[in-house]
Amino acid sequence: MIAIIKQGVTDAQIENLTHWLESQNLSVHLSKGEYTTIMGLVGDTSAVDIELLENLEIVEKVKRISEPFKSANRKFHPNDTIVDVSGVKIGGGNFAVIAGPCSVESEEQIIEVAKRVKESGGTLLRGGAFKPRTSPYDFQGLQADGLELLKIAKQETGMPIVTEIMNANHLSLFEDVDLIQVGARNMQNFELLKELGKTNKPILLKRGLANTMKEWLMSAEYIMAGGNENIILCERGIRTFETYTRNTLDLSAVPMLKELSHLPVVVDPSHACGVSKLVKPMAMSAVACGADGLMIEVHNNPKKALCDGAQSLTPDEFDDVMRRVTKIMEVVKE
Amino acid sequence: MIAIIKQGVTDAQIENLTHWLESQNLSVHLSKGEYTTIMGLVGDTSAVDIELLENLEIVEKVKRISEPFKSANRKFHPNDTIVDVSGVKIGGGNFAVIAGPCSVESEEQIIEVAKRVKESGGTLLRGGAFKPRTSPYDFQGLQADGLELLKIAKQETGMPIVTEIMNANHLSLFEDVDLIQVGARNMQNFELLKELGKTNKPILLKRGLANTMKEWLMSAEYIMAGGNENIILCERGIRTFETYTRNTLDLSAVPMLKELSHLPVVVDPSHACGVSKLVKPMAMSAVACGADGLMIEVHNNPKKALCDGAQSLTPDEFDDVMRRVTKIMEVVKE
Amino acid sequence: MIAIIKQGVTDAQIENLTHWLESQNLSVHLSKGEYTTIMGLVGDTSAVDIELLENLEIVEKVKRISEPFKSANRKFHPNDTIVDVSGVKIGGGNFAVIAGPCSVESEEQIIEVAKRVKESGGTLLRGGAFKPRTSPYDFQGLQADGLELLKIAKQETGMPIVTEIMNANHLSLFEDVDLIQVGARNMQNFELLKELGKTNKPILLKRGLANTMKEWLMSAEYIMAGGNENIILCERGIRTFETYTRNTLDLSAVPMLKELSHLPVVVDPSHACGVSKLVKPMAMSAVACGADGLMIEVHNNPKKALCDGAQSLTPDEFDDVMRRVTKIMEVVKE
Amino acid sequence: MIAIIKQGVTDAQIENLTHWLESQNLSVHLSKGEYTTIMGLVGDTSAVDIELLENLEIVEKVKRISEPFKSANRKFHPNDTIVDVSGVKIGGGNFAVIAGPCSVESEEQIIEVAKRVKESGGTLLRGGAFKPRTSPYDFQGLQADGLELLKIAKQETGMPIVTEIMNANHLSLFEDVDLIQVGARNMQNFELLKELGKTNKPILLKRGLANTMKEWLMSAEYIMAGGNENIILCERGIRTFETYTRNTLDLSAVPMLKELSHLPVVVDPSHACGVSKLVKPMAMSAVACGADGLMIEVHNNPKKALCDGAQSLTPDEFDDVMRRVTKIMEVVKE
């Protein structure tokens, strides 16, 4: 960590600051120049409150050199984390495919999709029950009823289930959910993260709409700080100025995160692009750069026009994606 | 609302869609071109789920023409809303200044700042008790104890108090809080917004980090849909590529929101810029373009180096800002 | 194209506008609603000046429905364009790899890199001679001398050469350059684009720092409008809030552009990421989602510390990338 | 400047780098930690090529501490620069208002607007002759003919004229132009900037679409490095995710730039917002935060519907803006 000292600061002031920092178990190295004086802070700086430091009268700016995340940091945990979702492993060479409809609509729908997804090689069943919507007037999901339907599909197919939580008070409803998803808009809902940190449930943490990898890993850190280390990161696109795609899928985040952290990384091309034609190529790309898994929207009802999702694949299209993706994976593993 | 129909769609398909839309009380106007067929939907489209429509097999794209927000829309509510915060009015020509420290630190601190702020003309006392921090290792505020100290300062000075809520389960603790703040990171925490909609507390809704005015107004709509119309919007800067300022204060949002909505708009230059030197000019600017109020960080302890906030003003600096701002307001009101 | 008419406009005003639009060979369809009146414009709207229309007194907003690009539009040119760069074909199933150093430094350097790149299967030699730099104090490239060295490498190896132009006045120097690159910062240097439109040289048009695909295709359109249709689009990352990577490589642009346009699309993972470790995975990803080629920085001098580029590969690393990429391509072509 | 050294680097390697840096007149301070070694470089680092340094094998990252701009830096030039545009002074307490139509359309139009602008207190006449347009099919301005009309208006009214240059080859046409504008899309057209640096013409340098203040000041530096120090910076809004306004006017850039640099700063609210209703409040805001001038679009033809620009003011509206702005300025100067 580097503190840049303001011009005109007295030696006594610098000494004061030095003592205070040393009392926090940091060692301090000073570089004085004509226009700038730099203070190098060495030690465990992850616990240093950068805003507090920047607020000091004599400090112009503070720059972190080492990462502020610790539990999620590969430097202190060199081996890949493998998350076990009720028997399905993700990470450390274990590839998983989460698939299913955007929203759970009916028992018939979710069971049929689950069966087709499983036949094609999907390993986890997703389905939205609580849906975060920008407008209060839009469909908010089947909620608790949707969770019940997911559980039925789980019994029928044996597939572990994945669904989004929006409120820590709902946790009791999520007891039979195998992997709890935190959506993009809740990535920095720190109160929710803290509550999830107290459980031992695997968590699928989606990247926020306009958040950096550092902020994302700090949100993982919130959960891990509570004792729950079963975290899977999910890249789902970030907001950019582009309008032809809903979001911009940041695939370079995959190898970058693998470098920075030991946590598994999965990619959701459906939600990122918002266009079903892009799901196949982007799923292949995600695997080609090392993703540990995919999250793909699949819907069973191509005939009933009202629900032929613009970003959903039909089960047949999903089957085709799975075949391609498997071949790409072979090249990657060679 | 406009639906652009895919090429190659049959007349029967278009007719089906038309009937379905008409059954939802929309009237449908068709424009057929060589390359594009456009369907104009007229009526109350705020309840139409745009994603559902876009998911239709025959629809290429849907564009909203009218705003999706209704309760917050000036078109349906031409007069300015005036929010009454325990006697302090904001909006409709009533100007309010919310001031106080970033974090409540001690009884002595909060009372002294409150007194100085009041003397200079501040009308509401702010102070952070529950603090949303990017890192779990950073100071999270005095929490419930901080709320108690705020209440003491309120008793001492008679100033209504403003503080941030991060968890709907804390609502009982906020009974004596006069204006409840929803922070930028919770602007799309829809579960929290719904709970606040059930109260009759005035809400200060901050703009999200990278959110548009439309999304912001939709979040206000979530609260209003629950029955609570006491909402004050607070512009606090958005994320851009600029690094010299913490965020980019979007002052053009002030007159734009006044055009779109009847809700009062206040501006927080302290948090937006992150540099105390910019607070005075930006506070003056905010008033010059029509803001209904300001939110300013003031700290009382310039000597104790550790807390001389980079973005906080001293009480004397705040006093100077108030004098300038008052003069600007006279020019604006002329 | 849709024009939304302001409230309170008279029928006579709408009629006037309708006549004027019809005189421009557009047919006009009107949808009147209580709160909004919409005018659908059908016909060749690519020549309609949207700003002029928006400036009309009675018009609230104008929205384009069909794309404003025409020559680059796949709708009017369904087959893939194949660009022939002095015998090396790109597009329509022809894959090309452009490789070489960021800057041409010496005859020895450029020839050695060229030979190694060719051995590994690279098809075009790149090397910067005129370098756009943010600071006037940074190295600006060997300029005309650099071009001479590239030509020597071309003679030695038979590889066509690719280098960046920054000034239309330099065109005479570029006569022996086989593929002229327009860099990100010049994507909207319309005067340069117009001059390149008058030549018959193949052009590699990089995406601007924060530009959308639509703006990018409009820049291609500037060149094509002059008569030069030999354009290759090059995705090189866009500016986002992420800081761990230099830019964010937008790979979803590859399949999206293939949908929108018939022009070939290549990907530059070196410049996008700014970290050599990411070049291999992102090159594989680019091929997996259908790119027509790659642009990769290769440097020959791992021992001489000063030039071991953070984003450059060594020839051996490049060789490894080529082998992986070739296998991915087989899966894609299946 | 700080260089972070990779882990596992030998002392000999560090010593080599130290010697090389010292040979460039930098003094080097080393801070060794368990996980990070930091090298502080002190001296004139503005000439250090940060990319070159980052490319060194043993360097992980380089961070600048002091600003890379020198001629534009207030640290080395504490007094405000006053630019003299043919007798009209801008900066150092001199306020100027540039006004006129977006495009020069006819002799009658430009003369009438010029007269009205002058009557209301405008000091410089603007009018677009060469127009940068995203589409090659849009109106490109009257070009050389437009320049002639501007000169006629200058003779008639005595007002110095301001217009945009897009091509250094046009410089001979600009001999009688008093203030040459560089548009947002050319802010990093370094070849154009270099040519302007060789002239002694005052330059109005607009901020790029998605550029930071640092990049903007580096572009000013390109012109100043050539010897031309007559530069006025013009804030015209940056690209954000907001869509209700065309761009987001970054007014905090005004006081921030005054802190960083001695160059005058003017604000263009017309182009930034794209909505005429916002021009008045944002012009007042710009003055309230310390701008040295304004640039405002004024058009004379409110009756002829086709040219009643959505972002242009009528002369009467402009007159009203001038009166308000003058009063705000009095408050600012007190």
Side-chain angles (χ1 to χ4, degrees), chain A residues 13 16-17 52-59, chain B residues 299 301-310:
Chain A
Q13 284 176 300
N16 272 342
L17 179 57
L52 189 70
L53 206 55
E54 270 188 334
N55 283 351
L56 295 172
E57 205 180 328
I58 69 170
V59 174
Chain B
H299 200 282
N301 211 342
K303 282 165 220 139
K304 195 179 149 221
L306 270 181
C307 298
D308 181 18

Coordinates of all heavy atoms in Angstrom, one line a residue, chain A residues 13 16-17 52-59, chain B residues 299 301-310:
Chain A
Q13 N 4.8 15.7 11.4 CA 3.5 15.1 11.0 C 3.8 13.7 10.4 O 3.0 12.8 10.6 CB 2.8 16.0 10.0 CG 2.2 17.2 10.6 CD 1.5 18.1 9.6 OE1 2.2 18.6 8.7 NE2 0.2 18.3 9.6
N16 N 4.5 11.2 13.1 CA 3.3 10.8 13.8 C 2.6 9.7 13.0 O 2.2 8.7 13.6 CB 2.3 12.0 13.9 CG 2.6 12.8 15.1 OD1 3.3 12.4 16.0 ND2 2.1 14.1 15.1
L17 N 2.4 10.0 11.7 CA 1.7 9.0 10.9 C 2.4 7.7 10.9 O 1.8 6.6 11.0 CB 1.5 9.6 9.5 CG 0.8 8.6 8.5 CD1 -0.6 8.2 9.0 CD2 0.7 9.3 7.1
L52 N -10.3 5.7 5.5 CA -9.8 6.3 6.7 C -8.5 7.0 6.5 O -8.2 8.1 6.9 CB -9.7 5.2 7.8 CG -9.4 5.8 9.2 CD1 -10.7 6.5 9.8 CD2 -9.1 4.6 10.2
L53 N -7.6 6.2 5.8 CA -6.3 6.7 5.6 C -6.3 7.9 4.6 O -5.6 8.9 4.9 CB -5.5 5.6 4.9 CG -3.9 5.6 5.1 CD1 -3.6 5.7 6.6 CD2 -3.3 4.4 4.5
E54 N -7.1 7.9 3.6 CA -7.2 9.0 2.7 C -7.8 10.2 3.3 O -7.5 11.3 2.9 CB -8.1 8.6 1.5 CG -7.3 7.9 0.4 CD -8.1 7.7 -0.9 OE1 -9.3 7.6 -0.8 OE2 -7.5 7.6 -1.9
N55 N -8.5 10.0 4.4 CA -9.1 11.2 5.1 C -8.1 11.9 6.0 O -8.4 13.0 6.5 CB -10.3 10.7 6.0 CG -11.5 10.4 5.1 OD1 -11.4 10.8 3.9 ND2 -12.5 9.9 5.6
L56 N -6.9 11.3 6.2 CA -5.9 12.0 7.0 C -5.5 13.3 6.3 O -5.3 13.4 5.1 CB -4.7 11.1 7.2 CG -5.0 9.8 7.9 CD1 -3.8 8.9 7.9 CD2 -5.3 10.1 9.4
E57 N -5.3 14.3 7.2 CA -5.0 15.6 6.7 C -3.8 15.7 5.8 O -3.7 16.5 4.8 CB -4.8 16.5 7.9 CG -5.0 18.0 7.7 CD -4.7 18.7 9.0 OE1 -5.0 18.1 10.1 OE2 -4.3 19.9 8.9
I58 N -2.8 14.9 6.1 CA -1.5 15.0 5.4 C -1.4 14.1 4.2 O -0.4 14.1 3.5 CB -0.3 14.8 6.4 CG1 -0.3 13.3 6.8 CG2 -0.4 15.7 7.6 CD1 1.0 13.0 7.5
V59 N -2.4 13.3 3.9 CA -2.3 12.3 2.9 C -3.1 12.8 1.6 O -4.2 13.2 1.7 CB -2.9 10.9 3.3 CG1 -3.0 9.9 2.2 CG2 -2.1 10.4 4.5
Chain B
H299 N -17.8 17.8 9.4 CA -17.1 17.1 10.5 C -16.5 18.2 11.4 O -16.1 19.2 10.9 CB -16.1 16.1 10.0 CG -15.7 15.1 11.0 ND1 -14.9 15.4 12.1 CD2 -16.1 13.8 11.2 CE1 -14.8 14.4 12.8 NE2 -15.5 13.4 12.3
N301 N -13.9 18.1 13.5 CA -12.6 17.8 14.2 C -11.4 18.0 13.3 O -10.7 17.1 13.1 CB -12.7 16.4 14.8 CG -11.9 16.4 16.1 OD1 -11.1 17.3 16.3 ND2 -12.1 15.4 16.8
P302 N -11.2 19.2 12.9 CA -10.1 19.4 11.9 C -8.7 19.2 12.5 O -7.8 18.9 11.8 CB -10.3 20.9 11.5 CG -11.1 21.5 12.6 CD -11.9 20.5 13.2
K303 N -8.6 19.3 13.9 CA -7.3 19.1 14.5 C -6.9 17.6 14.6 O -5.8 17.3 14.3 CB -7.3 19.8 15.8 CG -7.1 21.3 15.7 CD -7.5 22.0 17.0 CE -8.3 23.3 16.8 NZ -9.4 23.4 17.8
K304 N -7.9 16.8 15.0 CA -7.6 15.4 15.2 C -7.4 14.8 13.8 O -8.4 14.4 13.1 CB -8.7 14.7 15.9 CG -8.4 13.3 16.4 CD -9.6 12.8 17.2 CE -9.6 11.2 17.1 NZ -10.9 10.7 16.9
A305 N -6.2 14.8 13.3 CA -5.9 14.4 11.9 C -6.7 13.2 11.4 O -7.1 13.2 10.3 CB -4.4 14.2 11.8
L306 N -6.8 12.2 12.3 CA -7.4 11.0 11.8 C -8.8 11.1 11.2 O -9.2 10.2 10.5 CB -7.4 9.9 12.9 CG -6.2 9.1 13.0 CD1 -6.3 8.1 14.1 CD2 -5.9 8.4 11.7
C307 N -9.5 12.1 11.5 CA -10.9 12.2 11.1 C -11.2 13.4 10.2 O -12.3 13.7 10.0 CB -11.8 12.1 12.2 SG -11.6 10.6 13.1
D308 N -10.2 14.1 9.8 CA -10.4 15.3 8.9 C -10.7 14.8 7.5 O -9.9 14.7 6.6 CB -9.1 16.1 8.9 CG -9.3 17.4 8.1 OD1 -10.5 17.7 7.8 OD2 -8.3 17.9 7.7
G309 N -12.0 14.4 7.3 CA -12.4 13.7 6.1 C -12.0 14.4 4.8 O -12.3 15.6 4.7
A310 N -11.5 13.7 3.9 CA -11.1 14.2 2.6 C -12.3 14.9 1.9 O -12.2 15.8 1.1 CB -10.5 13.1 1.7

